[in-house]
Amino acid sequence: MVSVLVVDDSVVVRRLIVDALSADPGIQVVGTAPNGKVALSKIDMLKPDIVTLDIEMPVMDGLTTIKEIRKVHPRLPVIMFSTLTSVGASATLEALSSGASDYVTKPANVGSVAESIKSVREQIIPRIHALCRTGGPPRPPVRLAPRPAPAGPSGPRPAGGTGTPQVVAVGCSTGGPDALTKVVSALPASFPLPIVVVQHMPQVFTKMFAERLDRSAPLKVVEAGSGMAVQPGTVYIAPGDYHMEVVRRGGGVFTHLQQGPPENFCRPAVDVLFRSVADVYGGATLGVILTGMGQDGKRGSEGLVAKGAEIVAQDEATSVVWGMPGAVAGAGLAHSILPLNEISHHLINRVAGGRTARPRG
């Protein structure tokens, strides 16, 4: 049984969240709080397994509260409640960088109680179970994808990640904003490859995230638009509610956005991006699967590996949720399973023509 503390200044919203969670017999709401100050005292008293936390509250807001929680409870899962606005997106990204585990968006139509409860239930219950690691089948044994021996100096390079990479393709979800920020920020401004990214996020959030990452990373970071030339040293983040693909036209590669059906309940979806990357770049791809719920990216990784690409998966210990990287690793598609702080080093090493070497210190 997962115990939950619900924190929101609105009586209506607190009731809505409690009603939404009551649909799951494996979840029990053990308490509620109207602001962060009350929440901090109740966390010590009730010892919940997870906390849902509103951002805008009197007395002590959500941003201050998450920072205070992390001082005492560094591993307690916290899900933020956010609005689908620029202000809400900015505050949510700040909360994630301050240690929040994930977020859900508040229902737009609060006039329909049934629809609001359904929206909250569909968003939050899977996140609670994933973050608390409850339910689900046992993890399959992890197998590393075989690495072929390197070719001789004059012979053709074999498939399987030993050739010269031309692109980095990244997929991430829960915990992804912080993980992606750490990877991209550790790459030098001289990093010579384009990086195409699907991070599961709604509209508005992806634009704010790209702008925020662009300010902190040495590389140029943009929210992708359709028809953008894919250039070295630039990070392209798929916009919310659009699948992003890469297409070859003439002598160049360009982004293409489309609103086909969601895949793995997601739009943008990692599988859609990875399929297109496999078609355009084939084995000259470095695929990276970071922390996230579900299995998005597994089928796309299968296609990349079939073309001879290399796949790197984040390890379980450093993942907020080891769903996406765990699915890839468990299927034997990962050539390397690395802690988060080693992934950027691995990418730099591979681009320089070397193999994986553990960073010192």
Side-chain angles (χ1 to χ4, degrees), residues 85-102:
T85 64
S86 295
V87 173
S90 179
T92 301
L93 292 171
E94 179 66 28
L96 291 172
S97 70
S98 299
S101 310
D102 202 1

Side-chain angles (χ1 to χ4, degrees), residues 254-313:
F254 300 84
T255 59
H256 172 70
L257 304 182
Q258 47 101 340
Q259 286 189 300
E263 293 195 22
N264 309 302
F265 309 101
C266 303
R267 190 170 63 203
V270 180
D271 281 343
V272 174
L273 173 63
F274 277 22
R275 281 199 304 269
S276 70
V277 170
D279 289 340
V280 171
Y281 291 99
T285 303
L286 288 172
V288 180
I289 299 290
L290 300 176
T291 174
M293 257 174 33
Q295 297 192 16
D296 191 22
K298 178 184 172 185
R299 290 180 181 174
S301 294
E302 289 174 352
L304 282 170
V305 169
K307 292 287 184 74
E310 176 183 347
I311 303 295
V312 177

Side-chain angles (χ1 to χ4, degrees), residues 166-169 191-196 230-236 281:
Q166 296 178 15
V167 68
V168 177
F191 190 75
L193 303 186
I195 302 174
V196 288
V230 177
Q231 302 283 358
T234 302
V235 181
Y236 301 85
Y281 291 99

Side-chain angles (χ1 to χ4, degrees), residues 167-215:
V167 68
V168 177
V170 183
C172 43
S173 184
T174 307
D178 183 58
L180 186 65
T181 297
K182 288 177 178 174
V183 171
V184 172
S185 296
L187 297 175
S190 59
F191 190 75
L193 303 186
I195 302 174
V196 288
V197 179
V198 163
Q199 160 68 52
H200 295 158
M201 272 186 168
Q203 288 179 307
V204 181
F205 280 66
T206 47
K207 182 175 187 296
M208 300 292 292
F209 177 51
E211 292 173 351
R212 183 185 181 94
L213 186 52
D214 184 58
R215 290 192 295 268

